[in-house]
């Protein structure tokens, strides 16, 4: 855990997530977000969380709060994902057959 925290603290971004997603639009996934002190002390942070309300549907929560968080804070703060989708895809070397296997693994074997 110390290695992860050191990696987060040494990242030049203000808000770091473990992963990002293209679902709806590019955003940090909310299961793990690391916000540096400047973010937490900002008026935007306080306002964002003071307006959070209980929503009934998962997709509504994702759109309003997960995607909304990245959209709201991405204008002022630098966002980054430790394991960004772009970096992962850039590391994959494949031909058409391998692409099919990769898609299958992403859909069936890897956790969401």
């Amino acid at each position: 855990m110390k290695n992860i925290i050191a990696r987060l603290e040494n990242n030049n971004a203000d808000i770091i997530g473990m992963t990002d997603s293209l679902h709806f639009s590019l955003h940090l996934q909310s299961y793990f977000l690391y916000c540096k002190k400047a973010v937490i002390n900002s008026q935007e942070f306080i306002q964002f969380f003071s307006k959070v309300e209980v929503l009934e549907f998962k997709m509504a929560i994702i759109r309003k709060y997960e995607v909304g968080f990245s959209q709201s804070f991405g204008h002022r703060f630098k966002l980054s994902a430790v394991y960004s989708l772009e970096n992962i895809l850039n590391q994959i070397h494949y031909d058409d057959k391998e692409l099919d296997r990769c898609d299958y693994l992403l859909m069936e074997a890897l956790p969401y």
Side-chain angles (χ1 to χ4, degrees):
M1 189 65 161
K2 288 181 183 179
N3 291 339
I4 292 172
I5 292 171
R7 190 171 177 182
L8 296 169
E9 289 176 348
N10 292 325
N11 190 307
N12 66 351
D14 302 300
I15 303 170
I16 305 109
M18 278 294 152
T19 55
D20 54 12
S21 174
L22 293 171
H23 195 220
F24 302 117
S25 66
L26 182 61
H27 67 279
L28 296 175
Q29 292 190 294
S30 62
Y31 69 91
F32 184 99
L33 292 170
Y34 181 86
C35 299
K36 294 192 176 170
K37 197 176 222 175
V39 176
I40 293 171
N41 289 334
S42 72
Q43 199 61 32
E44 292 95 330
F45 189 85
I46 295 164
Q47 287 175 353
F48 183 87
F49 284 100
S50 70
K51 294 178 183 176
V52 171
E53 59 188 17
V54 175
L55 300 177
E56 188 174 342
F57 300 104
K58 180 181 177 181
M59 288 301 118
I61 295 166
I62 292 170
R63 283 181 192 231
K64 187 169 185 176
Y65 297 121
E66 188 172 88
V67 176
F69 182 88
S70 291
Q71 289 175 342
S72 295
F73 292 93
H75 296 292
R76 178 169 171 205
F77 299 102
K78 183 173 180 186
L79 310 179
S80 177
V82 174
Y83 302 102
S84 73
L85 186 57
E86 181 180 6
N87 288 342
I88 291 169
L89 292 176
N90 285 336
Q91 293 177 21
I92 297 174
H93 302 284
Y94 48 81
D95 59 23
D96 290 339
K97 288 184 180 180
E98 288 176 309
L99 178 60
D100 291 339
R101 280 183 261 145
C102 180
D103 286 345
Y104 176 78
L105 288 173
L106 288 171
M107 291 185 303
E108 299 294 329
L110 297 176
Y112 179 71

